[in-house]
Amino acid sequence: MTHTHDITRRNFIVGTAAAGAGLTLGFYAPLGGTAPLAAEQAHEVNAWVVVKPDDTVVIRIARSEMGQGTLTGLAQLVAEELECDWSKVTTEYPTPGQNLARGRVWGSFFTTGSRGIRGSHEYVRQGGAAARQLLIEAAAIRWKAEPAECQTAASVITHVPTGRTTTYGAVAGEAADLAAPFDVALKDPKDWKIAGKPLPRLDTADKVTGKQVYGTDINLPGMLNAAIKACPVFGGTLKNYDEAKVSRMPGVRKIVPVGDDAVAVVADTWWRAQKALDALPVTWDFGPNAKASSTDSAQTLRQGLEAKDAYIGNRAGDIDAALANAATRVEADYAYPHQAHATMEPMNATALWTKNKCEVWCPTQSGEAALAATARAAGLPRSRCDVYKLHLGGGFGRRGAFHDFVEQAVTIAKELPGTPVKLIWSREEDMTHDHYHPLTQARLVGALDENGDLTGLRVRISGQSIIASVMPGRMSSGADMFVFQCLAKGGDHAISYDIPNLLFDHAMHNPHVPPGFWRGVNANQNVVYMECFIDELAHAAGKDPLAFRRKLLSKNPKSLAVLDAVAERAGWDKPAQAGVGRGLAVCKAYGSYVAACAEVSLKDTRDLKIHRIVAATDPGVAVNPRQIEMQMEGSFVYGLSALLYGECTVKEGRIEQQNFDSYEVMRLAEMPQVETIVMPSGGFWGGVGEPTIAVAAPAVLNAIFAASGKRFRQVPLKNAGLRPT
Amino acid sequence: MVKLNVNGEAVDLDVEEDTPLLWALREHLDLTGTKYGCGIAQCGACAVHIDGEVVLSCALPIDSIPKGAKIVTIEGLSPKGDHPIQKAWVELDVPQCGYCQPGIIMTAAALLAKNPKPSDAEIDEAITNICRCGTYARIRQGIHRAAGRRV
Ligand code: FES
Ligand code: FES
């Protein structure tokens, strides 16, 4: 066996392992190199695996848990290769500061793009496999035996020729001193015993007793609380405020400007801080966007549907000829609004700043980006900062690319050196200062020949680019190729259909409302555009929507399989109940193949009843089928909330919706019956959290058409007077 | 000074009288299981029991709480986290992010206390909480499962 020597490995503070899930106070405590807790009891076998004498295994999880179940899935993958006792597995988050200090031994912390598992499965499994080898080797050395003669199961090592046994906990200390193996083999998923199984989540117990500590729940000794208000108009600035009016209110300690566009009140409690903030007279300079409105943006986007200049995202054949020679030409315009993430837990972060060090406790989808934001705001190098992640009360893309709340918390804490300050955004602040679902419209033109077959498709997308705003460095010659999610030529977001002549392009118009990644991202609107229009084409061709799609999918067996699965389960070949319409949608998103069939009825052109949705996914490998089902169910609630209600409108440069009374979301009574089909075909790793959200809305829209003959082309449906019943 | 009875204990609080119960619980009694989600009685994240009734604590100034009223929070729902609703929640893995769940569990527990076998329609009516992760299907199953177990 060859070895590389990992000398930094032993320097790591294994004491954090003693804190279990990393969420007990022991994990927060070190404010300057306090002795690690029970360091001698927990042995770091390698970066991923810490073993205690009682055989408890602490698996390190770099990605964030925000409800999507990644924590459990990643632990299953490590445990599978480690062959440890699953009933004794706990987890903890390494910090981004530790990752930095150890040469990014845990890789990326990013938990976005449904990449938590598919982006790290290989090296976390290798981590588990390497730890197992080290434990075996330690036992073999003790026994003066050959590692190859040893077997492992449920944290027990057996020397086969002699029948001697020991446990991981007994040899972990010696294993920790051995050099890491150079190369490890991974199991074939078909041999999995822990991974691939529908195991219960590891993080449920504390979530039903109120013990789970979220960012909003942090309480540090001597901590103060801050409430914040940023200029309601994006791009505006803070002019001044009348401190004297509130500085004597109960509990108020300090009022601080934050950046150039916000002001915060710091008080002993958050309630008092927010109350004083509400009473604080503030004047703003609303800046250049003070007159911006949704009506104006819609107008500009409509012009973009006809603009001459556009970035081409996908092209094949000769679309002009196809349209010119069409027996039937179909054309339709669609639109999709700004939407807020509205995570149940509002944005928050707790910061403790001194001139030598800055620490932050926060929910984040990217610990490393949070660390960078901390360092930036603290005016310190990253090596003098750290971020302690907490499970998120919802992420949905809001807490991945953006750490505005972290920068604000640090900026405030800098005014109070040595005092921890917890910043919580009010719901109103959260809803009016989001990074919103991008605003787009689309015009689709299709060509059918005399047989009713699709010969050409032109899709013009007009509107907002997330990448131009958030990651301008990722633009390709001015174009945002991510705009073409689910319409691309190939890759994770390839178009499902085989269409001989096509042209998809994007006329970019970026309104002043900041866009962001919103669970599903551009797949959400693009699959509405594509799948509803395919339905329109099928109707124009006089064909059954399933048969019409099947023909276009003849070269795409995986998409065909998920589509057939939902059609079969829904009973497509038998007529639906009277008054009920069925609608289909299919796409490839985040590397997975997904489809849905919805059944709805519409009464008095107003009362919408979504009876049932059957959804299927082929994510390649299914690490935890039960979690996948839960993600599919949840994604439909998120996606149908967007379809039914989701809209943030702009008036005088600001978002009009401030709270859940005006930004409605789906509630339990409106939830349809969701039936899920998880059908992993093996050989690839697709995403789970996002793909199915994209098929929710179009399946329902197509079912509404089937039920009522009415075609709705604008999201949300509340604007057309539809209400779920 | 305001006197309250929380989870069976008498407590004195030195807070302004218009302080919502939610913030009195979270910031003065360190009972952070009860969550802030909207502050305007819309989402149910802050649900607690007062004399067995579900109350949205974010919209309830503490001076309006009747003297001697018994307040129960998620921390006081069951001694060991073993209320039938909590058990069903664990078995079905109801929570995703979990942030809305204390409020939903309190609401569901109050429903079962009054109506040991709620119908789907009764569940629809009682559980108006918001869950952005979309755990509604399992919440419904969880309530039925817990109901089925009660004597
Ligand atoms: S926080 Fe009380 S109902 Fe939302
Ligand atoms: S479990 Fe996340 S909001 Fe309900």
Side-chain angles (χ1 to χ4, degrees):
Chain A
M1 191 189 297
T2 31
H3 290 100
T4 55
H5 206 68
D6 180 359
I7 45 164
T8 56
R9 197 149 61 89
R10 299 293 292 161
N11 299 336
F12 181 62
I13 303 167
V14 292
T16 55
L23 295 177
T24 62
L25 271 174
F27 197 61
Y28 306 143
L31 302 182
T34 321
L37 291 171
E40 62 291 341
Q41 288 168 18
H43 298 285
E44 181 183 303
V45 178
N46 67 13
W48 302 97
V49 175
V50 175
V51 180
K52 298 191 199 169
D54 67 355
D55 292 331
T56 302
V57 170
V58 184
I59 295 177
R60 300 251 175 74
I61 306 291
R63 312 285 172 135
S64 303
E65 177 57 49
M66 51 190 162
Q68 85 284 33
T70 295
L71 177 98
T72 304
L74 289 171
Q76 282 176 267
L77 290 172
V78 175
E80 178 65 53
E81 296 293 343
L82 181 60
E83 302 202 327
C84 64
D85 179 354
W86 178 251
S87 70
K88 289 191 157 186
V89 165
T90 62
T91 62
E92 70 172 13
Y93 291 135
T95 71
Q98 291 160 350
N99 201 32
L100 183 71
R102 297 179 64 179
R104 291 189 90 219
V105 64
W106 291 285
S108 169
F109 278 34
F110 250 111
T111 317
T112 55
S114 297
R115 249 184 257 109
I117 288 178
R118 68 187 174 116
S120 66
H121 65 88
E122 188 159 358
Y123 57 77
V124 303
R125 285 186 292 152
Q126 284 167 347
R132 174 175 167 272
Q133 279 197 24
L134 289 168
L135 291 158
I136 289 178
E137 207 181 316
I141 291 170
R142 262 198 199 180
W143 292 329
K144 300 195 173 51
E146 281 303 313
E149 295 168 351
C150 299
Q151 282 179 358
T152 53
S155 300
V156 176
I157 307 170
T158 305
H159 182 237
V160 179
T162 61
R164 271 181 301 192
T165 64
T166 185
T167 68
Y168 285 0
V171 296
E174 289 135 70
D177 285 329
L178 299 172
F182 189 64
D183 211 7
V184 289
L186 296 180
K187 295 183 183 177
D188 187 318
K190 73 172 172 13
D191 301 326
W192 283 352
K193 296 187 197 72
I194 298 171
K197 299 289 175 271
L199 300 181
R201 301 171 67 112
L202 294 171
D203 54 338
T204 299
D206 285 352
K207 289 180 176 175
V208 304
T209 56
K211 286 204 188 85
Q212 181 67 54
V213 176
Y214 296 87
T216 45
D217 304 330
I218 291 283
N219 192 3
L220 299 172
M223 186 181 82
L224 295 176
N225 289 270
I228 195 162
K229 192 183 274 181
C231 182
V233 180
F234 306 106
T237 50
L238 174 68
K239 248 192 184 152
N240 52 54
Y241 50 86
D242 188 355
E243 191 166 336
K245 286 268 181 347
V246 306
S247 53
R248 300 237 180 95
M249 285 177 71
V252 172
R253 298 292 169 83
K254 206 172 174 98
I255 296 163
V256 291
V258 184
D260 64 357
D261 69 344
V263 58
V265 174
V266 182
D268 55 353
T269 69
W270 187 81
W271 163 248
R272 285 169 176 156
Q274 184 64 42
K275 197 175 172 194
L277 181 65
D278 288 340
L280 180 72
V282 184
T283 31
W284 308 99
D285 176 349
F286 292 128
N289 304 311
K291 291 271 165 297
S293 74
S294 287
T295 327
D296 291 347
S297 296
Q299 183 59 35
T300 315
L301 262 61
R302 260 195 299 282
Q303 288 164 9
L305 293 177
E306 276 153 25
K308 263 185 102 106
D309 289 334
Y311 299 105
I312 294 173
N314 193 353
R315 177 165 35 191
D318 183 345
I319 186 65
D320 290 337
L323 289 171
N325 299 329
T328 311
R329 202 180 136 120
V330 182
E331 179 170 331
D333 291 354
Y334 283 79
Y336 202 98
H338 285 304
Q339 293 169 334
H341 294 84
T343 58
M344 276 316 291
E345 179 196 25
M347 297 306 109
N348 68 88
T350 301
L352 171 58
W353 186 91
T354 65
K355 62 182 193 321
N356 295 319
K357 192 172 173 140
C358 184
E359 290 169 293
V360 163
W361 292 255
C362 72
T364 169
Q365 292 176 243
S366 171
E368 293 178 292
L371 179 65
T374 299
R376 208 159 44 233
L380 291 166
R382 281 182 301 157
S383 57
R384 289 187 166 275
C385 301
D386 213 344
V387 171
Y388 310 105
K389 298 196 296 180
L390 297 123
H391 288 349
L392 291 74
F396 312 127
R398 175 62 180 88
R399 304 186 229 244
F402 314 103
H403 290 86
D404 35 5
F405 48 98
V406 169
E407 293 199 36
Q408 290 174 343
V410 172
T411 305
I412 298 164
K414 232 175 139 174
E415 299 296 315
L416 296 140
T419 301
V421 181
K422 174 164 75 179
L423 168 69
I424 304 177
W425 288 17
S426 66
R427 173 58 62 193
E428 289 78 9
E429 188 66 17
D430 187 276
M431 203 162 274
T432 55
H433 291 86
D434 199 350
H435 298 258
Y436 300 83
H437 198 295
L439 185 74
T440 61
Q441 295 182 11
R443 173 164 297 168
L444 299 97
V445 191
L448 296 168
D449 65 15
E450 43 295 322
N451 302 320
D453 287 331
L454 182 63
T455 53
L457 178 63
R458 194 185 187 317
V459 181
R460 160 60 61 87
I461 293 168
S462 170
Q464 206 163 11
S465 154
I466 302 171
I467 304 297
S469 164
V470 180
M471 305 170 168
R474 296 245 195 116
M475 300 289 279
S476 22
S477 321
D480 170 3
M481 297 312 280
F482 200 53
V483 156
F484 300 99
Q485 266 186 294
C486 307
L487 300 174
K489 222 178 203 85
D492 280 356
H493 294 101
I495 182 174
S496 306
Y497 301 120
D498 185 31
I499 305 168
N501 304 289
L502 60 82
L503 177 63
F504 302 161
D505 59 10
H506 174 219
M508 197 186 302
H509 167 66
N510 292 317
H512 80 297
V513 173
F517 303 95
W518 193 102
R519 190 178 186 179
V521 198
N522 296 307
N524 298 331
Q525 74 271 19
N526 288 351
V527 180
V528 166
Y529 301 160
M530 187 70 180
E531 283 303 288
C532 291
F533 191 66
I534 286 287
D535 232 60
E536 296 204 47
L537 289 164
H539 185 68
K543 296 199 174 168
D544 169 67
L546 175 63
F548 190 76
R549 284 184 173 82
R550 293 193 87 246
K551 191 156 187 192
L552 292 167
L553 292 173
S554 58
K555 292 186 189 157
N556 186 348
K558 288 192 164 63
S559 288
L560 194 56
V562 287
L563 182 66
D564 282 346
V566 296
E568 193 190 315
R569 175 75 70 87
W572 188 269
D573 55 347
K574 292 176 224 76
Q577 276 171 277
V580 173
R582 292 200 186 105
L584 294 168
V586 61
C587 74
K588 181 184 185 189
Y590 302 91
S592 292
Y593 300 83
V594 297
C597 181
E599 290 184 350
V600 316
S601 55
L602 187 64
K603 246 207 260 141
D604 305 329
T605 72
R606 203 179 60 116
D607 297 334
L608 174 66
K609 175 84 190 157
I610 308 173
H611 301 275
R612 174 188 185 209
I613 295 187
V614 181
T617 183
D618 175 2
V621 177
V623 174
N624 186 324
R626 186 182 192 187
Q627 298 308 317
I628 296 175
E629 286 174 7
M630 287 164 59
Q631 283 307 293
M632 292 168 79
E633 292 163 10
S635 76
F636 275 59
V637 176
Y638 209 69
L640 295 178
S641 284
L643 173 66
L644 297 168
Y645 303 113
E647 184 178 38
C648 293
T649 51
V650 178
K651 197 177 163 188
E652 295 183 342
R654 66 197 78 185
I655 297 294
E656 292 188 278
Q657 293 71 21
Q658 307 227 337
N659 206 320
F660 290 116
D661 52 348
S662 48
Y663 187 76
E664 286 180 86
V665 297
M666 183 183 247
R667 299 187 193 232
L668 181 138
E670 298 151 9
M671 169 91 181
Q673 181 187 337
V674 172
E675 292 168 41
T676 52
I677 306 169
V678 180
M679 41 189 290
S681 60
F684 65 98
W685 293 70
V688 166
E690 293 173 280
T692 46
I693 190 175
V695 286
V700 168
L701 286 166
N702 291 337
I704 293 174
F705 176 79
S708 68
K710 289 198 168 42
R711 182 65 71 183
F712 296 97
R713 300 189 180 90
Q714 305 208 352
V715 173
L717 290 175
K718 68 166 185 176
N719 293 345
L722 266 62
R723 299 289 308 184
T725 55
Chain B
M1 205 60 108
V2 183
K3 285 187 187 311
L4 296 177
N5 182 306
V6 182
N7 297 334
E9 270 180 55
V11 292
D12 290 325
L13 290 174
D14 185 13
V15 296
E16 297 85 277
E17 288 168 351
D18 62 346
T19 307
L21 175 61
L22 170 66
W23 297 102
L25 293 170
R26 289 181 55 81
E27 304 197 293
H28 298 274
L29 297 172
D30 208 17
L31 293 169
T32 54
T34 308
K35 302 299 185 213
Y36 165 71
C38 71
I40 58 163
Q42 278 289 318
C43 75
C46 65
V48 300
H49 297 169
I50 299 188
D51 291 334
E53 299 288 333
V54 175
V55 173
L56 299 178
S57 63
C58 69
L60 187 74
I62 50 169
D63 65 351
S64 67
I65 299 171
K67 242 199 161 113
K70 291 195 166 53
I71 301 165
V72 176
T73 70
I74 185 74
E75 291 89 348
L77 179 64
S78 62
K80 292 191 198 124
D82 53 0
H83 184 281
I85 288 284
Q86 288 168 312
K87 282 200 200 153
W89 253 234
V90 169
E91 287 160 18
L92 293 170
D93 260 353
V94 174
Q96 290 189 22
C97 84
Y99 192 84
C100 69
Q101 298 295 339
I104 294 180
I105 289 168
M106 293 307 280
T107 312
L111 169 66
L112 279 196
K114 287 197 175 158
N115 181 351
K117 278 266 181 194
S119 65
D120 276 337
E122 286 162 341
I123 293 173
D124 284 352
E125 202 177 310
I127 311 294
T128 56
N129 309 55
I130 295 174
C131 171
R132 287 291 279 157
C133 297
T135 62
Y136 300 134
R138 276 163 210 259
I139 290 168
R140 185 189 300 283
Q141 281 173 41
I143 294 173
H144 284 311
R145 179 179 283 227
R149 290 226 184 105
R150 289 170 73 94
V151 209

